[in-house]
């Protein structure tokens, strides 16, 4: 058990450290209380401390809900009160869902020694693919349309992963360059597609698709009327599936081998090119599925806004989660909570949302520098690094 | 300076690497450190050089107890170390590599004072007869010279105690002789040298005293004049070792590997293998001798499908394989023990059991319709570990944490775990202790007697002579002679290796 928990230690301490540094940041930008320092040092200090507690408190309430709301709901028993109480938690999970898909996508690529920076492009094209297929199937029974549209998202994402994979395997073109470029191409394709009358909502002057209300991903708890949908559950299942794929199948074994030592993998008769392509296709497909769920679950229309840098955040998540599927899920939940709770914090305590971006950046920084964390907390260096943690999982 | 290590103990997870080890070396003397793979030699030296901290015990220099908290500390105290695996930056030149971390600086912004550094490098190089071009790039230098750069690096830091961890494992006989001359020169100048090796002849030749480690403990300290190879081997492994494995005469049958007029290019596109003709029959061992870099590497890569054949024909068991993939060659029943085990043969951060199936994970019984059967894999790996006496805390240990000899055994166990008709073994015992060498030689001969065709490539003359039923000598990409085992004497093979024929 201790051995199983070990890999969690550094990420957990990284998160803790990030919050501590974040609070220092709050402290030093607290002009009002700094000004009081000379006249009323005790008051200044307690005041500043109170501010920090308020801000982080609001963050937690924003992410997980307000205990007061829960007690209200308990007393009244009114469905509407329950909806209000659970909404923050639902929104946290809604925010985490696309991150889970893209995080898993990037983790698969890192494990395989491929640096997929194209999660963004694969995600938006997945969303576009789902939209196109949904509109094509319009009029068919909803479940069929939904499944077809999800498949469409997977295929579009997979194709967008295949291209850089193929280019790397065949010509050696570096995937970092090609995937970044393909991100721009993907955005342009979306722009173009949204001008097409087949997709475009004719009543709007904005580039925005028709409303996909006929293929909604079902809500998880329908009677509460929350946004949380089955995509979240599917993301959890996909994480388990990815884990099974990586550790229990021959193809997964090939990918991991190629990721850790490409020469030895080649000597063992594995096809380097095949592994690269497979890794990129799987990675793209996962990101694409995330896009499909986003457009049919969390929002209702395809637009440029469907993507908010999920592919980029995913890189951090894959590292934070040690490229382990379980770790990536945990990291995505954390970032979902921060993103969602941040809005609550901004409203309730006036601390700008940017603090959260700052904290997220610190988390990533601490995770990327495990030795620093070990030094701060005086942890012993592990005799031999186990698994493919952050530093090792990321290919050069 | 006089160096003494007292009762050093170091525990790793599952392994007591050093168990109350005491050694000492006087000023200007050479201490030979022997010991089987995994005996704890490198660990002990890493403790001396401040890389690891001992759990208990002390280090005394000129009688004074010292404890180094990091390598910089040890360097300041005059301890220089040339590691088993070199640690040089390939794109640096010699002066930069040597001065790195101790560079002289000039001017306000402390820029690197190359001229001063270069002058010292040239001086030291001349003083100790190292013959190193100060401006050459590391990546362009042969291993023997890189090693001298490592020695220079230690001298540059004014080391009074120099540790050389298996310096001769990758050297040609000529380079080894040069190294010994350097060691003697250093000792004469007052440097204390600790020299680690697996080669009994070498330690007898160069050491003033010899300490033998076994399983983390001192097994004995002897003087070279009062001991023999046999006694040293016995001390190392704790039993008598057959230094040359006996074997019955070969009974060659049908041709398994057939090379006709084979040409292969190297990475720089020049012809590395030139018109090679060679056959290896079932039930015989053909040993390819030659100084490193005469086309052996490219030859092996071509046979195993890792390198494109330029022209000529290549057959294994009658099948044409000039353009076959490594997988196809392996599927024909070809075992390959690659030259560089940690780079090509193993994945260090994967476990012993994962490495055990590295090239047969897709076959029965490991794969079950694309699913890995970890239960069976675990069982088979356990069998391999037991049969080949692989010293590992468990099959879930990362292979990179094993000692060199045990890593090699993992490869051999894997390659021999399935039926093979051809074995290609490149430097199969490089860096291994006498016990492991005996063991691996035995296994190879067993495969031969079971009817496999065997091609050994080795730069080690002793190995070539011990194993080869026929010895083919490679020079400048060509086979310059094939000798039967009674024609193959040290002198005859040595002459051919040097290009005299
Ligand atoms: N960093 C480490 N973590 C865990 N175990 C280790 C580590 N380094 C060495 N060991 C173990 O300690 C033992 C001694 O290893 P060491 O490298 O000192 O042997 P050695 O005598 O140098 O062997 P070789 O001749 O093969 O180089 C081995 O069993 C090895 O597996
Ligand atoms: Mg060693």
């Amino acid at each position: 058990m201790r051995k199983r928990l070990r890999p969690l230690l550094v990420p957990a301490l990284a998160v803790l450290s990030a919050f501590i540094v974040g609070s220092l940041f709050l402290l030093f930008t607290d002009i009002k209380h700094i000004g009081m320092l000379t006249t009323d040092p005790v008051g200044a200090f307690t005041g500043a401390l109170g501010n920090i507690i308020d801000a982080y408190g609001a963050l937690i309430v924003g992410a997980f809900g307000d205990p007061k709301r829960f007690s209200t709901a308990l007393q009244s028993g009114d469905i509407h009160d329950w909806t209000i109480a659970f909404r923050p938690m639902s929104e946290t999970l809604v925010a985490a869902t696309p991150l889970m898909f893209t995080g898993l996508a990037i983790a698969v690529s890192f494990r395989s020694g491929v640096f997929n920076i194209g999660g963004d492009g694969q995600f938006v094209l997945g969303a576009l693919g789902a939209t196109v297929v949904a509109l094509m199937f319009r009029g068919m029974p909803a479940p069929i349309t939904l499944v077809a549209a999800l498949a469409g998202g997977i295929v579009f994402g997979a194709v967008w992963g295949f291209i850089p994979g193929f280019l790397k395997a065949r010509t050696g073109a570096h995937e970092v360059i090609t995937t970044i470029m393909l991100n721009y191409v993907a955005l342009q394709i979306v722009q173009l597609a949204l001008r097409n009358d087949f997709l475009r909502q004719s009543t709007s002057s904005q580039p925005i698709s028709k409303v996909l209300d006929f293929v909604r991903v079902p809500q998880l708890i329908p009677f509460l009327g929350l946004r949380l949908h089955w995509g979240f559950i599917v993301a959890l299942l996909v994480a388990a599936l990815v884990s099974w794929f990586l550790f229990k199948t021959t193809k997964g074994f090939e990918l991991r081998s190629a990721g850790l030592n490409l020469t030895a993998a080649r000597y063992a008769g594995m096809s380097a090119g095949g592994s690269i392509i497979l890794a990129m296709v799987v990675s793209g497909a996962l990101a694409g599925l995330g896009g499909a769920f986003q457009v049919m679950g969390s929002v209702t229309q395809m637009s440029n806004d469907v993507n908010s840098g999920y592919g980029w955040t995913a890189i951090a998540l894959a590292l934070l989660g040690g490229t382990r599927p379980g770790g990536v899920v945990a990291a995505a939940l954390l970032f979902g909570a921060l993103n969602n709770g941040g809005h609550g914090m901004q409203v309730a305590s006036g601390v700008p949302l940017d603090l959260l971006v700052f904290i997220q950046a610190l988390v990533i920084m601490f995770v990327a520098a495990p030795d620093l964390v070990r030094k701060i907390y005086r942890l012993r260096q592990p005799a031999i690094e186990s698994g493919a943690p952050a530093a090792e999982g990321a290919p050069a | 300076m006089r160096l003494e290590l007292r009762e050093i103990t170091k525990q790793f997870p599952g392994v007591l690497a050093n168990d109350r080890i005491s050694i000492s070396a006087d000023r200007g003397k050479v201490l030979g450190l022997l010991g089987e793979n995994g005996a704890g030699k490198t660990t002990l030296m890493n403790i001396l050089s401040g890389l690891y901290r001992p759990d208990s015990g002390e280090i005394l220099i000129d009688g004074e107890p010292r404890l180094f908290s990091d390598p910089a500390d040890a360097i300041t105290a005059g301890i220089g170390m040339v590691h088993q695996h070199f640690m040089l930056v390939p794109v640096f030149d010699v002066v930069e590599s040597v001065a790195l971390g101790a560079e002289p600086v000039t001017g306000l912004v402390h820029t690197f004072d190359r001229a001063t550094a270069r002058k010292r490098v040239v001086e030291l190089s001349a003083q100790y007869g190292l013959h190193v071009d100060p401006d050459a790039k590391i990546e362009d230098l042969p291993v023997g010279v890189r090693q001298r750069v490592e020695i220079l690096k230690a001298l540059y830091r004014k080391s009074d105690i120099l540790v050389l961890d298996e310096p001769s494992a990758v050297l040609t006989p000529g380079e080894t002789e040069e190294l010994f001359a350097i060691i003697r020169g250093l000792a004469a100048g007052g440097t204390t040298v600790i020299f680690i090796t697996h080669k009994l002849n070498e330690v007898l030749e160069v050491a003033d005293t010899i300490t033998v480690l076994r399983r983390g403990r001192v097994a004995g300290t002897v003087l070279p004049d009062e001991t023999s190879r046999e006694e040293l081997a016995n001390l190392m492994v704790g039993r008598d070792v057959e230094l040359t494995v006996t074997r019955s005469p070969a009974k060659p049958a049908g041709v398994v590997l057939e090379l006709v007029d084979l040409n292969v290019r190297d990475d720089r596109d020049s012809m590395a293998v030139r018109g090679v003709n060679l056959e290896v029959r079932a039930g015989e061992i053909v040993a390819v001798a030659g100084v490193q870099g005469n086309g052996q590497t490219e030859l092996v890569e071509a046979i195993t499908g890792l390198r494109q054949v330029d022209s000529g024909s290549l057959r294994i068991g009658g099948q044409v394989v000039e353009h076959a993939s490594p997988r196809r060659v392996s599927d024909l029943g070809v075992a390959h023990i690659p030259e560089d085990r940690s780079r090509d043969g193993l994945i260090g951060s994967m476990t012993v059991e994962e490495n055990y199936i590295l090239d047969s994970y897709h076959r029965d019984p490991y794969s079950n319709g694309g699913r890995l059967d970890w239960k069976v894999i675990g069982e088979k790996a356990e069998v391999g570990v037991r049969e080949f006496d692989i010293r590992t805390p468990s099959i879930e240990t990362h292979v990179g944490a094993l000692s060199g000899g045990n890593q090699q055994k993992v490869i051999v166990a894997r390659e021999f775990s399935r039926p093979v008709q051809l074995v290609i073994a490149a430097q199969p015992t490089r860096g291994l202790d006498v016990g492991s060498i005996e063991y691996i030689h035995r296994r190879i001969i067993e495969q031969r007697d079971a009817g496999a065709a065997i091609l050994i490539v080795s730069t080690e003359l002793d190995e070539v002579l011990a194993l080869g039923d026929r010895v083919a000598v490679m020079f400048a990409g060509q086979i310059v002679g094939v000798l039967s085992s009674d024609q193959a004497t040290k002198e005859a093979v040595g002459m051919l290796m040097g290009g005299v024929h």
Side-chain angles (χ1 to χ4, degrees), chain A residues 25 143 152 209 283 333:
Chain A
F25 181 77
S209 81
S283 189
L333 290 174

Side-chain angles (χ1 to χ4, degrees), chain A residues 244 247-250 253-254 256-257 260-261 263-264 266-270 383-387 392, chain B residues 301 306 327 336 338 342-344 346-347 349-350 354 357-359 361 367 370-372 374 398 401:
Chain A
W244 176 81
F247 296 99
K248 298 282 158 75
T249 69
T250 54
F253 186 73
E254 284 176 9
R256 286 192 297 126
S257 302
L260 290 170
N261 182 346
T263 340
R266 221 165 72 78
Y267 270 62
M270 302 175 190
I384 295 278
E385 283 288 350
S386 63
E392 246 179 280
Chain B
E301 287 177 348
L306 288 157
R327 172 60 50 82
H336 179 202
S342 49
R343 194 191 64 196
D344 305 330
L346 295 169
I347 299 181
S349 46
M350 276 191 164
E354 286 175 313
I357 59 161
L358 200 59
D359 62 2
Y361 64 93
S367 160
R371 264 181 307 131
L372 289 171
W374 284 108
H398 284 182

Side-chain angles (χ1 to χ4, degrees), chain B residues 325-404:
Chain B
S325 65
R327 172 60 50 82
R328 164 115 200 283
V329 173
S330 155
D331 284 343
L332 286 172
V334 177
H336 179 202
I337 301 170
E339 173 179 318
D340 187 334
R341 60 175 156 264
S342 49
R343 194 191 64 196
D344 305 330
L346 295 169
I347 299 181
S349 46
M350 276 191 164
T351 64
V352 170
E353 61 177 337
E354 286 175 313
N355 276 283
Y356 188 75
I357 59 161
L358 200 59
D359 62 2
S360 38
Y361 64 93
H362 58 296
R363 297 195 181 100
D364 226 27
Y366 306 133
S367 160
N368 189 346
R371 264 181 307 131
L372 289 171
D373 189 337
W374 284 108
K375 196 161 159 289
V376 172
I377 294 167
E379 283 162 14
K380 297 275 180 194
E382 291 284 3
V383 171
V385 163
R386 219 171 315 123
E387 255 182 36
F388 282 76
D389 187 27
I390 299 168
R391 309 259 169 86
T392 172
S394 82
I395 54 169
E396 274 148 37
T397 304
H398 284 182
V399 114
L402 303 189
S403 76

Side-chain angles (χ1 to χ4, degrees), chain A residues 22-37 43-55 349 351:
Chain A
S23 62
L24 292 179
F25 181 77
L26 282 178
L27 205 61
F28 290 123
T29 52
D30 193 343
I31 307 289
K32 183 176 136 225
H33 289 109
I34 289 178
M36 280 165 60
L37 214 51
F45 191 71
T46 49
L49 207 63
N51 265 359
I52 292 168
I53 292 172
D54 283 350
S349 66
V351 174

